[in-house]
Structures are given as structure tokens and as C-alpha cells.
Amino acid sequence: MGILWGLMAVLMIAWVVMLRRRGGIRQVAPGSPDAADPADYGFMRQEDLDVRLPGPDQDLLDVMSVVQRHQDFTAASQLLAGTGKETEARWERVQAIAGAAALEAQQTPRLGAGWLHAWRSQAPKDAGGAQVFAEFLVQQAWRGGGTEDEQRIILEEARRACDQAALLAPGDPVPHITHLAVARGLGYSQAEFEQVWLKILDTAPGHMGAHLAGLRYWCEKWHGSREQAFAFAEAAAARAPRGSLLAALPLFALYEHLPDLNLVRGFYESEVVAKAMHGALFAVHAARPDDPMLSHVRHLLVFFLVRGERWSEAMRQLVRVDGHVGAVPWTAEADPAASYAVYRALAVAGYEANGGSPATLSA
């Protein structure tokens, strides 16, 4: 991957000098009138990209602005109280609120995230606060950079917090989804993991966020294998009703098992990749436009479509997600905005090299 990203970094620097020429992409002098420019499509500047969320949720951003400015959890509590359980939106918001708290605690260890601790102490029966606190502990464990023993201590605390959160909200899958990350970090046996998974199937069997969390456990780099991960993803896709984004799960399994070095275009034109992308594109077309997980699938499609040089299809995904980059694959990199900007630049250059323009994209 190091060689690939070295190449991508060069391309990112040079994106403003990509020539619009049917059949190929070559570099021209900076400032050339032939240079492809993502700004022509209304795309946001790299420095303005929002790395906190995969897609827009203005209510959440407004609430977190109030919470962090006044160090008062009330608005966050009210937001979650009005967000239905069993929904993807609730899981997204719990993750985002917990992530904001974890980042705040990391940046100002003595004072950060005081509002979250106040939430737990002043409203111990608030299910939303309990869910955010459990997820906060998980994110602290992954971000902390401590020893393995220190991480384990935090994850053990997170496990207890998940159990408490589940008692406060029977039928809500969120505490169990957080527990999946705990299970992965603590190295649950497959039988132990299945016990947690069954609780999710009892509450929200079609939950895309839960399946993404579950998939990671079954991956080769964690506690399963490539075969087990694909079996998990393909089984979920096969039983997914029309309109469900679970049909895109095999593409996420493929991403989790990419070879370390795959610069050959043929890999992205292979049958296995084409099949996974077809499922994801089908899922995107059939999904509700307001599905909170739709942005996650679109972002990963951009990654695969660009690598497969399917420029037009990549552009049609980009115009629907641009502005927010808090999603895989970008968040796997040190600078998500820069990683996303590389792929966006390549998509624009490739699209224009094959006769595309802002006018044809909007047609």
C-alpha cells in the first residue's frame, strides 16, 4: 500500500494539471486551460471537507456545537430521545457524539468531555447517555495508544457499560453493536461472539451498521478468515429485502481483504470485484434516499469505481457524497480529506479525459 499511496500523493499534487483528452490522462503545465478542475463540479475544497460524518446530519452538528460550547449534555440527550431505536440514524449519532467526546478528551485530557461524565452522573437512567458512554470507552481504547493491558482494562469497562446500556433500553440494538467492537478487541471466541450477534438478530436483523461491525470480527486480520468474512457478507446480502443496503456488504468484505499491493487494473475488472460492485450499485439504487448508511456505501463505491477506471459512475457517486468524508475507506488513512481528494481528482481527470464535463454530468 505504501507504493500505491506514494503514487497517489504525486497524482494529488498534480491534479490541477490533468489534461482533458479522450482516451487517456496526461500531465500538462500548471494553469493550462486544459487542466481538469474538481471545482468546476461544485466540489468543496479539501480544507472544507467535513471528516466527522459520512453524510449530512445538520441537527446533530447543531446539537454538538451547543453541547461543546456550553459543556451541557442536555441537547444531546434530547436529540437521542427523539431518534428512534433500531434505526441506523441512532447508531450513527451515538458513534458521532461519542467520537466528539473521545477527541475532546484526547485533546484536553484534564477537562475534555466533562459534559459526558456529567451526563452519566446526573442522568444515570438515560439510555442515550449510557449508549454514548459505552461507545466513548471503546473509542478511547482504540485511540488511546496505551499498552495492550491498558487497552484491555478500558474494553472491560466498556463491556460492563454495554450491559448497563442494554438494561436501560430493551430492544435497542445499539448497546449490542458497541459490544461487537468490545468482542473484537477482547478476542471473544467465535461462540461468544455469536451470543452477542444473536441479540442483534433478535432486535434489528437488517441493521447495516451492525453488519459492518460484525463483519470486522470475521475478517482475516481479526478473528476469522477471508472465507468466513465472505460467507457472513454473502449470507446477509442473499437474505436482504429489496431496499436494504445489506446487498452491498460483500463489497465491504472485499475491501477488508484487499491484497497489500494491487496496482494492476485487471484486479478491479475481475469477476469477484465486478460482482461485489454490482451488488453495491443495486443496493444504492434501491435504497431510500434518506437512509443514513447510504453515504457509507457510496464512499466505498467511489474507491472501487476509480480504481476500476469507471469514471462516469464514480462521478455520479461523488456528486452525492461530496462535502463529508467520515467514512471508510478515507478514515482508514491519517488524513481522510486528502485521501478522498486524491480519488476525487482522479475521477474528474478520467471523466474529462473521456469526454465528460460538468454539463454532461448534470444532464
Side-chain angles (χ1 to χ4, degrees):
M1 291 296 288
I3 296 174
L4 173 63
W5 279 102
L7 174 63
M8 289 296 190
V10 171
L11 289 170
M12 180 174 65
I13 293 169
W15 68 262
V16 294
V17 293
M18 294 291 185
L19 179 66
R20 307 166 188 171
R21 182 173 58 85
R22 183 175 296 276
I25 306 173
R26 69 177 177 83
Q27 194 170 321
V28 298
S32 166
D34 287 324
D37 187 351
D40 292 343
Y41 297 84
F43 292 146
M44 293 182 67
R45 299 183 346 167
Q46 179 180 322
E47 57 268 31
D48 295 327
L49 294 169
D50 192 329
V51 301
R52 297 169 295 178
L53 299 172
D57 187 342
Q58 194 58 49
D59 288 343
L60 174 62
L61 295 179
D62 291 343
V63 161
M64 290 312 300
S65 176
V66 171
V67 168
Q68 295 187 299
R69 185 168 64 250
H70 298 291
Q71 289 294 295
D72 183 344
F73 64 85
T74 305
S77 176
Q78 293 172 342
L79 179 69
L80 289 182
T83 305
K85 66 181 182 180
E86 301 180 20
T87 63
E88 306 283 358
R90 186 175 183 85
W91 171 233
E92 288 267 309
R93 286 175 168 177
V94 166
Q95 279 192 301
I97 296 170
L103 182 59
E104 192 177 311
Q106 186 178 50
Q107 293 174 338
T108 54
R110 293 185 179 181
L111 302 173
W115 54 268
L116 178 55
H117 295 290
W119 193 351
R120 290 299 296 130
S121 63
Q122 295 175 29
K125 301 298 184 182
D126 186 327
Q131 291 172 6
V132 170
F133 184 66
E135 176 64 22
F136 166 75
L137 290 172
V138 169
Q139 294 199 29
Q140 271 201 318
W142 295 128
R143 294 171 185 241
T147 66
E148 187 175 331
D149 285 343
E150 290 170 335
Q151 184 185 61
R152 188 170 190 87
I153 289 170
I154 298 174
L155 287 172
E156 291 285 3
E157 185 181 356
R159 171 160 56 184
R160 292 189 290 273
C162 288
D163 291 340
Q164 293 168 1
L167 289 173
L168 291 172
D172 190 331
V174 169
H176 306 306
I177 301 174
T178 302
H179 200 159
L180 295 178
V182 174
R184 179 163 50 88
L186 291 179
Y188 279 26
S189 69
Q190 293 184 1
E192 291 171 324
F193 180 86
E194 289 284 8
Q195 290 303 307
V196 181
W197 184 249
L198 285 174
K199 294 176 182 178
I200 291 172
L201 293 183
D202 286 342
T203 54
H207 200 289
M208 180 66 172
H211 279 79
L212 289 177
L215 174 65
R216 297 193 70 187
Y217 175 90
W218 292 111
C219 288
E220 190 173 56
K221 58 190 172 187
W222 286 102
H223 307 294
S225 66
R226 179 186 177 91
E227 291 72 25
Q228 286 175 305
F230 275 89
F232 176 83
E234 289 168 0
R239 65 174 179 265
R242 182 175 178 82
S244 168
L245 288 169
L246 289 177
L249 204 60
L251 190 66
F252 286 86
L254 188 62
Y255 170 75
E256 293 286 352
H257 294 88
L258 286 177
D260 288 337
L261 188 61
N262 44 77
L263 296 175
V264 180
R265 174 182 172 183
F267 172 78
Y268 292 94
E269 297 177 336
S270 65
E271 183 179 351
V272 65
V273 175
K275 181 180 177 182
M277 280 203 289
H278 176 78
L281 287 166
F282 171 81
V284 163
H285 292 150
R288 298 189 332 268
D290 63 344
D291 190 319
M293 298 303 292
L294 189 54
S295 295
H296 288 271
V297 181
R298 290 192 188 279
H299 279 292
L300 193 61
L301 274 169
V302 168
F303 175 89
F304 278 97
L305 290 168
V306 167
R307 288 195 173 191
E309 298 185 18
R310 294 166 63 170
W311 312 117
S312 179
E313 291 169 284
M315 290 293 288
R316 294 186 189 284
Q317 299 304 321
L318 281 165
V319 296
R320 290 169 172 82
V321 298
D322 193 72
H324 298 84
V325 296
V328 169
W330 327 123
T331 51
E333 304 298 331
D335 188 339
S339 301
Y340 169 83
V342 167
Y343 280 81
R344 185 178 66 183
L346 290 171
V348 170
Y351 183 63
E352 295 193 353
N354 288 275
S357 71
T360 58
L361 187 62
S362 60

